[in-house]
Coordinates of all heavy atoms in Angstrom, one line a residue:
M29 N -14.9 -14.0 1.4 CA -15.6 -13.0 2.2 C -14.8 -11.7 2.1 O -13.6 -11.7 2.0 CB -15.6 -13.5 3.7 CG -16.4 -14.8 3.9 SD -18.1 -14.7 3.5 CE -18.8 -14.4 5.1
A30 N -15.6 -10.6 2.2 CA -14.9 -9.3 2.2 C -15.6 -8.4 3.2 O -16.7 -8.7 3.7 CB -15.1 -8.6 0.8
T31 N -14.8 -7.4 3.7 CA -15.3 -6.5 4.7 C -15.8 -5.2 4.0 O -15.0 -4.6 3.2 CB -14.2 -6.2 5.7 OG1 -13.7 -7.4 6.3 CG2 -14.7 -5.2 6.8
Y32 N -17.0 -4.9 4.2 CA -17.6 -3.7 3.7 C -17.9 -2.7 4.8 O -18.3 -3.1 5.9 CB -18.9 -4.0 2.9 CG -18.7 -5.0 1.8 CD1 -19.0 -6.3 1.9 CD2 -18.2 -4.5 0.6 CE1 -18.8 -7.2 0.9 CE2 -18.0 -5.4 -0.5 CZ -18.3 -6.7 -0.3 OH -18.1 -7.6 -1.3
R33 N -17.7 -1.4 4.5 CA -17.9 -0.4 5.5 C -19.1 0.5 5.2 O -19.2 0.9 4.0 CB -16.6 0.5 5.6 CG -16.8 1.6 6.6 CD -15.5 2.2 7.1 NE -14.9 1.2 8.0 CZ -13.7 1.4 8.6 NH1 -13.1 2.5 8.4 NH2 -13.2 0.5 9.4
Y34 N -19.9 0.7 6.2 CA -21.0 1.6 6.1 C -20.9 2.7 7.2 O -20.2 2.4 8.2 CB -22.4 0.8 6.3 CG -22.6 -0.2 5.3 CD1 -22.1 -1.5 5.3 CD2 -23.4 0.1 4.2 CE1 -22.4 -2.4 4.4 CE2 -23.7 -0.8 3.2 CZ -23.1 -2.1 3.3 OH -23.4 -3.0 2.3
R35 N -21.4 3.8 6.9 CA -21.3 4.9 7.9 C -22.6 5.5 8.3 O -23.4 6.0 7.4 CB -20.4 6.0 7.4 CG -20.1 7.1 8.4 CD -19.2 8.2 7.8 NE -17.9 7.7 7.5 CZ -16.9 7.4 8.3 NH1 -17.1 7.7 9.6 NH2 -15.8 6.9 7.9
C36 N -22.9 5.4 9.6 CA -24.2 6.0 10.1 C -23.8 7.4 10.5 O -22.8 7.7 11.1 CB -24.6 5.2 11.3 SG -26.1 5.9 12.1
E37 N -24.8 8.3 10.2 CA -24.5 9.8 10.6 C -24.4 10.0 12.1 O -23.6 10.8 12.5 CB -25.7 10.6 10.0 CG -25.7 10.7 8.5 CD -24.6 11.5 7.9 OE1 -24.1 12.4 8.6 OE2 -24.1 11.1 6.8
T38 N -25.0 9.2 12.9 CA -25.0 9.4 14.3 C -24.1 8.4 15.0 O -23.5 8.7 16.0 CB -26.4 9.3 14.9 OG1 -27.0 8.1 14.6 CG2 -27.2 10.5 14.4
D39 N -24.0 7.2 14.5 CA -23.3 6.1 15.3 C -21.9 5.8 14.7 O -21.2 5.0 15.2 CB -24.1 4.8 15.3 CG -25.4 5.1 16.0 OD1 -25.4 5.7 17.1 OD2 -26.5 4.7 15.4
G40 N -21.5 6.4 13.6 CA -20.2 6.2 13.0 C -20.1 5.0 12.1 O -21.1 4.4 11.7
P41 N -18.9 4.6 11.8 CA -18.7 3.5 10.8 C -19.0 2.2 11.3 O -18.9 1.9 12.5 CB -17.2 3.7 10.4 CG -16.6 4.3 11.6 CD -17.6 5.2 12.2
R42 N -19.5 1.3 10.4 CA -19.7 -0.1 10.8 C -19.1 -1.0 9.7 O -19.3 -0.7 8.5 CB -21.3 -0.4 10.8 CG -22.0 0.3 11.8 CD -22.0 -0.5 13.1 NE -22.5 0.3 14.2 CZ -22.6 -0.1 15.4 NH1 -22.1 -1.3 15.7 NH2 -23.1 0.6 16.3
D43 N -18.4 -2.0 10.1 CA -17.8 -3.0 9.2 C -18.7 -4.2 9.2 O -19.0 -4.7 10.2 CB -16.4 -3.3 9.6 CG -15.4 -2.2 9.3 OD1 -15.7 -1.3 8.5 OD2 -14.3 -2.1 10.0
V44 N -19.0 -4.7 8.0 CA -19.8 -5.9 7.8 C -19.1 -6.8 6.9 O -18.6 -6.5 5.9 CB -21.2 -5.5 7.2 CG1 -22.0 -6.7 7.0 CG2 -21.9 -4.4 8.0
V45 N -19.0 -8.1 7.3 CA -18.4 -9.1 6.5 C -19.4 -9.9 5.7 O -20.4 -10.4 6.3 CB -17.6 -10.1 7.4 CG1 -16.9 -11.2 6.5 CG2 -16.5 -9.4 8.2
R46 N -19.3 -9.9 4.4 CA -20.2 -10.5 3.5 C -19.5 -11.2 2.4 O -18.3 -10.9 2.1 CB -21.2 -9.5 2.8 CG -22.1 -8.8 3.8 CD -23.3 -9.6 4.0 NE -24.0 -9.3 5.3 CZ -24.8 -8.2 5.5 NH1 -25.0 -7.4 4.5 NH2 -25.4 -8.0 6.6
P47 N -20.1 -12.2 1.7 CA -19.4 -12.7 0.5 C -19.2 -11.6 -0.6 O -20.0 -10.7 -0.7 CB -20.4 -13.8 -0.1 CG -21.2 -14.1 1.1 CD -21.3 -12.9 2.0
I48 N -18.1 -11.8 -1.3 CA -17.8 -10.8 -2.3 C -18.9 -10.5 -3.3 O -19.5 -11.5 -3.8 CB -16.5 -11.2 -3.0 CG1 -15.3 -11.1 -2.0 CG2 -16.2 -10.3 -4.2 CD1 -14.0 -11.6 -2.6
G49 N -19.2 -9.3 -3.6 CA -20.2 -8.9 -4.6 C -21.6 -8.9 -4.0 O -22.6 -8.7 -4.8
T50 N -21.8 -9.1 -2.7 CA -23.2 -9.2 -2.2 C -23.5 -8.0 -1.3 O -24.6 -8.0 -0.7 CB -23.4 -10.5 -1.4 OG1 -22.5 -10.5 -0.3 CG2 -23.2 -11.7 -2.2
A51 N -22.6 -7.0 -1.2 CA -22.9 -5.8 -0.4 C -23.9 -4.9 -1.0 O -23.9 -4.6 -2.2 CB -21.6 -5.1 -0.2
E52 N -24.9 -4.5 -0.1 CA -26.0 -3.6 -0.6 C -25.4 -2.2 -0.6 O -24.4 -1.9 0.1 CB -27.2 -3.7 0.3 CG -27.8 -5.1 0.4 CD -27.2 -5.9 1.6 OE1 -26.4 -5.3 2.4 OE2 -27.5 -7.1 1.7
G53 N -26.1 -1.3 -1.3 CA -25.7 0.1 -1.3 C -25.9 0.8 0.1 O -25.2 1.7 0.5
T54 N -27.0 0.3 0.8 CA -27.3 0.9 2.1 C -27.6 -0.3 3.0 O -28.0 -1.4 2.6 CB -28.5 1.9 2.1 OG1 -29.6 1.2 1.6 CG2 -28.2 3.1 1.2
L55 N -27.4 0.0 4.3 CA -27.7 -1.1 5.3 C -28.4 -0.3 6.5 O -28.0 0.8 6.8 CB -26.4 -1.7 5.7 CG -26.5 -3.0 6.5 CD1 -27.0 -4.1 5.6 CD2 -25.1 -3.4 7.0
D56 N -29.4 -1.0 7.1 CA -30.0 -0.3 8.3 C -29.0 -0.4 9.5 O -28.5 -1.5 9.8 CB -31.3 -1.0 8.6 CG -32.4 -0.7 7.6 OD1 -32.2 0.3 6.8 OD2 -33.4 -1.5 7.5
C57 N -28.9 0.7 10.2 CA -28.0 0.8 11.3 C -28.6 -0.1 12.5 O -29.8 0.0 12.8 CB -27.8 2.2 11.8 SG -26.8 2.4 13.3
P58 N -27.8 -1.0 13.1 CA -28.3 -1.8 14.2 C -28.6 -1.0 15.4 O -29.3 -1.4 16.3 CB -27.2 -2.8 14.4 CG -25.9 -2.2 13.8 CD -26.4 -1.3 12.7
E59 N -28.0 0.2 15.5 CA -28.2 1.1 16.7 C -29.5 1.9 16.6 O -30.4 1.9 17.5 CB -27.1 2.0 16.9 CG -25.7 1.3 17.1 CD -25.5 0.6 18.4 OE1 -26.2 1.1 19.4 OE2 -24.8 -0.3 18.5
C60 N -29.6 2.6 15.5 CA -30.8 3.6 15.4 C -31.7 3.2 14.2 O -32.8 3.8 14.1 CB -30.2 5.0 15.2 SG -29.3 5.2 13.7
G61 N -31.4 2.3 13.4 CA -32.3 1.8 12.3 C -32.3 2.7 11.1 O -33.0 2.3 10.1
V62 N -31.5 3.7 11.1 CA -31.5 4.6 9.9 C -30.6 3.9 8.8 O -29.6 3.3 9.2 CB -31.0 6.0 10.3 CG1 -30.8 6.9 9.0 CG2 -31.9 6.7 11.3
A63 N -31.0 4.1 7.5 CA -30.2 3.5 6.5 C -28.8 4.2 6.4 O -28.7 5.4 6.4 CB -30.9 3.7 5.1
M64 N -27.7 3.3 6.4 CA -26.4 3.8 6.3 C -25.9 3.6 4.9 O -26.0 2.5 4.4 CB -25.4 3.0 7.2 CG -25.8 3.0 8.7 SD -24.6 2.0 9.7 CE -24.9 0.4 9.1
P65 N -25.3 4.7 4.3 CA -24.7 4.5 2.9 C -23.4 3.7 3.1 O -22.7 3.8 4.1 CB -24.5 5.9 2.4 CG -24.4 6.7 3.7 CD -25.2 6.1 4.7
R66 N -23.1 3.0 2.0 CA -21.8 2.2 2.0 C -20.7 3.2 1.7 O -20.8 4.2 0.9 CB -21.9 1.2 0.8 CG -20.6 0.3 0.8 CD -20.8 -0.8 -0.2 NE -19.5 -1.4 -0.5 CZ -19.2 -2.1 -1.5 NH1 -20.2 -2.3 -2.4 NH2 -18.0 -2.6 -1.7
V67 N -19.5 3.0 2.3 CA -18.4 3.8 2.2 C -17.3 3.0 1.5 O -17.0 1.9 1.9 CB -17.9 4.4 3.6 CG1 -16.6 5.2 3.4 CG2 -19.0 5.1 4.2
F68 N -16.6 3.6 0.5 CA -15.6 2.9 -0.2 C -14.2 3.3 0.5 O -13.9 4.5 0.6 CB -15.6 3.2 -1.7 CG -16.7 2.6 -2.3 CD1 -17.9 3.3 -2.5 CD2 -16.7 1.3 -2.8 CE1 -19.0 2.7 -3.1 CE2 -17.8 0.7 -3.4 CZ -19.0 1.4 -3.5
A69 N -13.5 2.3 0.9 CA -12.2 2.6 1.6 C -11.1 1.8 0.9 O -11.3 0.9 0.1 CB -12.3 2.2 3.1
V70 N -9.9 2.1 1.4 CA -8.7 1.4 0.9 C -8.8 -0.1 1.4 O -9.1 -0.3 2.5 CB -7.4 2.0 1.4 CG1 -6.2 1.3 1.0 CG2 -7.4 3.5 0.9
P71 N -8.5 -1.1 0.5 CA -8.5 -2.4 1.0 C -7.5 -2.6 2.1 O -6.5 -1.9 2.2 CB -8.0 -3.2 -0.2 CG -8.3 -2.4 -1.4 CD -8.2 -1.0 -0.9
M72 N -7.7 -3.6 3.0 CA -6.8 -3.8 4.1 C -5.5 -4.5 3.8 O -5.2 -5.5 4.2 CB -7.6 -4.5 5.2 CG -8.8 -3.8 5.7 SD -9.4 -4.6 7.2 CE -10.8 -3.6 7.5
L73 N -4.7 -3.8 2.9 CA -3.5 -4.4 2.5 C -2.5 -4.4 3.6 O -1.7 -5.3 3.7 CB -2.9 -3.6 1.3 CG -3.7 -3.6 0.0 CD1 -3.1 -2.6 -1.0 CD2 -3.8 -5.0 -0.5
A74 N -2.5 -3.4 4.5 CA -1.6 -3.3 5.5 C -1.7 -4.4 6.6 O -0.8 -4.6 7.4 CB -1.7 -1.9 6.2
L75 N -2.8 -5.1 6.6 CA -3.0 -6.1 7.6 C -2.5 -7.5 7.1 O -2.6 -8.5 7.8 CB -4.5 -6.2 7.9 CG -5.1 -5.0 8.5 CD1 -6.6 -5.2 8.7 CD2 -4.5 -4.5 9.8
G76 N -2.0 -7.5 5.9 CA -1.6 -8.8 5.3 C -0.5 -9.5 6.1 O -0.7 -10.4 6.9
S77 N 0.8 -9.1 6.0 CA 1.9 -9.7 6.7 C 2.7 -8.6 7.3 O 2.6 -7.4 6.9 CB 2.7 -10.5 5.7 OG 3.4 -9.7 4.8
S78 N 3.5 -9.0 8.3 CA 4.3 -8.0 8.9 C 5.4 -7.3 8.0 O 5.7 -6.2 8.1 CB 5.0 -8.6 10.2 OG 5.9 -9.6 9.8
S79 N 5.9 -8.1 7.1 CA 6.9 -7.6 6.1 C 6.2 -6.6 5.2 O 6.8 -5.5 4.9 CB 7.6 -8.7 5.4 OG 6.7 -9.4 4.6
A80 N 5.0 -6.9 4.7 CA 4.3 -6.0 3.8 C 3.9 -4.7 4.6 O 4.0 -3.6 4.1 CB 3.0 -6.7 3.3
R81 N 3.5 -4.9 5.9 CA 3.1 -3.7 6.7 C 4.3 -2.8 6.9 O 4.2 -1.6 6.8 CB 2.5 -4.2 8.0 CG 2.1 -3.1 8.9 CD 1.3 -3.5 10.1 NE 1.9 -4.6 10.8 CZ 1.3 -5.8 10.9 NH1 0.2 -6.1 10.4 NH2 1.9 -6.8 11.6
S82 N 5.5 -3.4 7.2 CA 6.7 -2.6 7.4 C 7.1 -1.9 6.2 O 7.6 -0.7 6.2 CB 7.8 -3.4 8.0 OG 8.3 -4.3 7.1
L83 N 7.0 -2.5 5.0 CA 7.3 -1.9 3.7 C 6.4 -0.7 3.4 O 6.9 0.3 3.0 CB 7.3 -2.9 2.6 CG 7.6 -2.4 1.2 CD1 9.1 -2.0 1.2 CD2 7.4 -3.5 0.2
I84 N 5.1 -0.9 3.7 CA 4.2 0.2 3.4 C 4.4 1.3 4.4 O 4.4 2.5 4.0 CB 2.7 -0.4 3.6 CG1 2.4 -1.3 2.4 CG2 1.7 0.8 3.6 CD1 1.1 -2.0 2.6
E85 N 4.7 1.0 5.7 CA 5.0 2.1 6.6 C 6.3 2.8 6.2 O 6.4 4.1 6.4 CB 5.1 1.5 8.0 CG 3.8 1.1 8.6 CD 4.0 0.3 9.9 OE1 5.1 0.1 10.4 OE2 3.0 -0.1 10.5
R86 N 7.3 2.1 5.8 CA 8.6 2.8 5.4 C 8.4 3.6 4.2 O 8.9 4.8 4.1 CB 9.6 1.7 5.1 CG 11.0 2.3 4.7 CD 12.0 1.2 4.6 NE 13.2 1.8 4.1 CZ 13.9 1.3 3.1 NH1 13.5 0.2 2.5 NH2 15.0 1.9 2.6
T87 N 7.6 3.2 3.2 CA 7.3 3.9 2.0 C 6.5 5.2 2.4 O 6.8 6.3 1.8 CB 6.5 3.1 1.0 OG1 7.2 1.9 0.7 CG2 6.2 3.9 -0.3
E88 N 5.5 5.1 3.2 CA 4.8 6.3 3.6 C 5.6 7.2 4.4 O 5.5 8.5 4.2 CB 3.5 5.9 4.5 CG 2.5 5.2 3.6 CD 1.3 4.7 4.5 OE1 1.4 4.7 5.7 OE2 0.3 4.4 3.9
R89 N 6.5 6.7 5.3 CA 7.4 7.6 6.1 C 8.4 8.3 5.2 O 8.8 9.5 5.4 CB 8.2 6.7 7.1 CG 8.9 7.5 8.1 CD 9.5 6.6 9.2 NE 10.4 5.7 8.6 CZ 10.3 4.3 8.7 NH1 9.2 3.8 9.4 NH2 11.1 3.5 8.2
S90 N 8.9 7.7 4.1 CA 9.9 8.3 3.2 C 9.3 9.5 2.4 O 10.1 10.3 1.9 CB 10.4 7.2 2.2 OG 9.4 6.9 1.2
R91 N 8.0 9.6 2.4 CA 7.4 10.8 1.7 C 7.7 12.1 2.4 O 8.0 13.1 1.8 CB 5.9 10.6 1.6 CG 5.4 10.0 0.4 CD 3.9 10.1 0.3 NE 3.3 9.0 1.0 CZ 2.0 8.9 1.3 NH1 1.2 9.8 1.0 NH2 1.6 7.8 1.9
E92 N 7.7 12.0 3.7 CA 7.9 13.2 4.5 C 9.2 13.2 5.3 O 9.7 14.3 5.6 CB 6.7 13.5 5.5 CG 5.4 13.6 4.7 CD 4.2 13.6 5.7 OE1 4.4 13.7 6.9 OE2 3.1 13.6 5.2
R93 N 9.6 12.1 5.7 CA 10.9 12.0 6.5 C 11.8 10.9 5.9 O 11.9 9.8 6.5 CB 10.5 11.6 8.0 CG 9.8 12.8 8.7 CD 9.3 12.4 10.1 NE 8.1 11.5 10.0 CZ 8.0 10.3 10.5 NH1 9.0 9.8 11.2 NH2 6.9 9.6 10.4
P94 N 12.4 11.1 4.8 CA 13.2 10.1 4.2 C 14.5 9.8 5.0 O 14.9 10.7 5.8 CB 13.6 10.7 2.8 CG 13.4 12.1 3.0 CD 12.3 12.3 4.0
D95 N 15.0 8.6 4.9 CA 16.2 8.3 5.6 C 17.4 9.1 5.1 O 17.5 9.3 3.9 CB 16.5 6.8 5.4 CG 15.5 5.9 6.1 OD1 14.8 6.4 7.0 OD2 15.4 4.7 5.6
V96 N 18.2 9.7 6.0 CA 19.3 10.5 5.6 C 20.5 9.6 5.5 O 20.9 8.8 6.4 CB 19.6 11.6 6.7 CG1 20.8 12.4 6.3 CG2 18.4 12.5 6.8
V97 N 21.2 9.6 4.3 CA 22.4 8.8 4.1 C 23.6 9.8 3.7 O 23.4 10.9 3.3 CB 22.2 7.8 2.9 CG1 21.1 6.8 3.3 CG2 21.8 8.5 1.7
S98 N 24.8 9.3 4.0 CA 26.0 10.1 3.7 C 26.7 9.6 2.4 O 27.6 10.3 1.9 CB 27.0 10.0 4.8 OG 27.3 8.7 5.1
A99 N 26.3 8.5 1.8 CA 26.9 8.0 0.6 C 26.0 7.2 -0.2 O 25.0 6.6 0.4 CB 28.2 7.2 1.0
P100 N 26.2 7.0 -1.5 CA 25.3 6.1 -2.2 C 25.5 4.7 -1.7 O 26.6 4.3 -1.2 CB 25.7 6.3 -3.7 CG 27.1 6.9 -3.6 CD 27.2 7.6 -2.3
P101 N 24.6 3.8 -2.0 CA 24.8 2.4 -1.6 C 25.9 1.8 -2.3 O 26.3 2.2 -3.4 CB 23.4 1.7 -2.0 CG 22.7 2.7 -2.9 CD 23.3 4.0 -2.6
P102 N 26.6 0.8 -1.7 CA 27.8 0.2 -2.3 C 27.7 -0.2 -3.7 O 28.6 0.0 -4.5 CB 28.1 -1.0 -1.4 CG 27.4 -0.7 -0.1 CD 26.2 0.1 -0.5
A103 N 26.6 -0.8 -4.1 CA 26.4 -1.3 -5.5 C 26.4 -0.1 -6.5 O 27.0 -0.2 -7.6 CB 25.1 -2.1 -5.6
A104 N 25.9 1.0 -6.1 CA 25.8 2.2 -7.0 C 27.2 2.8 -7.1 O 27.5 3.5 -8.2 CB 24.8 3.2 -6.6
R105 N 28.0 2.7 -6.1 CA 29.3 3.4 -6.1 C 30.3 2.7 -7.1 O 31.1 3.4 -7.7 CB 29.9 3.3 -4.7 CG 30.8 4.6 -4.4 CD 31.3 4.5 -3.0 NE 30.2 4.3 -2.0 CZ 30.3 3.7 -0.8 NH1 31.4 3.1 -0.5 NH2 29.3 3.6 0.0
R106 N 30.1 1.4 -7.3 CA 31.0 0.7 -8.2 C 30.7 1.0 -9.7 O 31.5 0.7 -10.5 CB 30.9 -0.8 -7.9 CG 31.6 -1.3 -6.7 CD 31.8 -2.8 -6.7 NE 30.5 -3.5 -6.9 CZ 29.8 -3.9 -5.8 NH1 30.2 -3.7 -4.6 NH2 28.6 -4.4 -6.0
G107 N 29.6 1.4 -10.0 CA 29.2 1.7 -11.4 C 28.6 0.4 -12.0 O 28.5 -0.6 -11.3
P108 N 28.3 0.5 -13.3 CA 27.7 -0.7 -13.9 C 28.8 -1.9 -14.0 O 30.0 -1.6 -14.1 CB 27.3 -0.2 -15.3 CG 28.2 1.0 -15.5 CD 28.4 1.6 -14.2
A109 N 28.2 -3.0 -14.0 CA 29.1 -4.2 -14.1 C 29.8 -4.3 -15.4 O 29.2 -3.9 -16.5 CB 28.3 -5.5 -13.9
P110 N 31.1 -4.7 -15.5 CA 31.8 -4.8 -16.8 C 31.2 -5.8 -17.7 O 30.7 -6.9 -17.2 CB 33.2 -5.2 -16.4 CG 33.1 -5.7 -15.0 CD 31.9 -5.1 -14.4
S111 N 31.1 -5.5 -19.0 CA 30.5 -6.4 -19.9 C 31.4 -7.6 -20.2 O 32.6 -7.4 -20.3 CB 30.1 -5.7 -21.2 OG 29.6 -6.6 -22.2
T112 N 30.8 -8.7 -20.5 CA 31.6 -9.9 -20.9 C 31.6 -10.0 -22.5 O 32.1 -11.0 -23.0 CB 31.0 -11.2 -20.3 OG1 29.6 -11.2 -20.7 CG2 31.1 -11.1 -18.8
N113 N 31.0 -9.0 -23.2 CA 30.9 -9.1 -24.6 C 32.3 -8.7 -25.2 O 32.8 -7.6 -24.9 CB 29.8 -8.1 -25.1 CG 29.6 -8.2 -26.6 OD1 30.5 -8.6 -27.3 ND2 28.4 -7.7 -27.0
P114 N 32.9 -9.6 -26.0 CA 34.3 -9.3 -26.5 C 34.3 -8.1 -27.4 O 35.4 -7.5 -27.6 CB 34.7 -10.6 -27.2 CG 33.4 -11.4 -27.4 CD 32.5 -10.9 -26.4
A115 N 33.2 -7.8 -28.1 CA 33.2 -6.6 -29.0 C 33.4 -5.3 -28.2 O 34.0 -4.4 -28.8 CB 31.9 -6.6 -29.8
W116 N 33.1 -5.3 -27.0 CA 33.2 -4.1 -26.2 C 34.7 -3.8 -25.9 O 35.1 -2.6 -25.6 CB 32.5 -4.2 -24.9 CG 31.0 -4.0 -25.0 CD1 30.2 -4.5 -26.1 CD2 30.1 -3.4 -24.1 NE1 28.9 -4.2 -25.8 CE2 28.8 -3.5 -24.6 CE3 30.3 -2.8 -22.8 CZ2 27.7 -3.0 -24.0 CZ3 29.2 -2.3 -22.2 CH2 27.9 -2.4 -22.8
S117 N 35.6 -4.7 -26.0 CA 37.0 -4.5 -25.7 C 37.7 -3.6 -26.8 O 38.7 -3.0 -26.6 CB 37.8 -5.8 -25.6 OG 37.8 -6.5 -26.8
R118 N 37.0 -3.6 -28.0 CA 37.6 -2.8 -29.1 C 37.1 -1.3 -29.1 O 37.5 -0.5 -29.9 CB 37.2 -3.4 -30.4 CG 37.8 -4.8 -30.7 CD 37.6 -5.3 -32.1 NE 36.2 -5.5 -32.5 CZ 35.6 -6.6 -32.3 NH1 36.1 -7.6 -31.7 NH2 34.3 -6.7 -32.6
L119 N 36.2 -1.0 -28.2 CA 35.7 0.4 -28.1 C 36.8 1.3 -27.5 O 37.6 0.8 -26.6 CB 34.4 0.4 -27.2 CG 33.2 -0.3 -27.8 CD1 32.0 -0.3 -26.8 CD2 32.7 0.4 -29.1
P120 N 36.8 2.6 -27.8 CA 37.8 3.5 -27.3 C 37.5 3.7 -25.8 O 36.4 3.6 -25.3 CB 37.5 4.8 -28.0 CG 36.2 4.7 -28.6 CD 35.9 3.2 -28.8
R121 N 38.6 3.9 -25.0 CA 38.5 4.1 -23.6 C 38.5 5.6 -23.3 O 39.2 6.3 -24.0 CB 39.7 3.4 -22.9 CG 39.8 1.9 -23.1 CD 38.8 1.2 -22.1 NE 38.6 -0.2 -22.5 CZ 37.5 -0.8 -22.6 NH1 36.4 -0.1 -22.2 NH2 37.4 -2.0 -22.9
P122 N 37.9 6.0 -22.2 CA 38.0 7.4 -21.9 C 39.4 7.9 -21.4 O 40.2 7.1 -21.0 CB 36.9 7.5 -20.7 CG 36.8 6.1 -20.2 CD 37.1 5.2 -21.3
Ligands
ZN8 ZN1 -27.0 4.6 13.6

């Protein structure tokens, strides 16, 4: 089942649950009877789980109000991990 949205000019948006692929292009408004065109909207990804919702909210918040930090994260400060390849020991050192 999927949720489809239609918008009536006078009564506003209406959500209708139907099997996937069975939504009509227009639907008669239950309030005034006028044909409502279907509206395409973002899938309800944010309603999935609380962790997905908080990740989406943090990502959207970082666009305009990113978190302020005073130093790079600990893993980035150490640099890349040393290689275990023995051929690298023969390379010149800085
Ligand atoms: Zn209506």
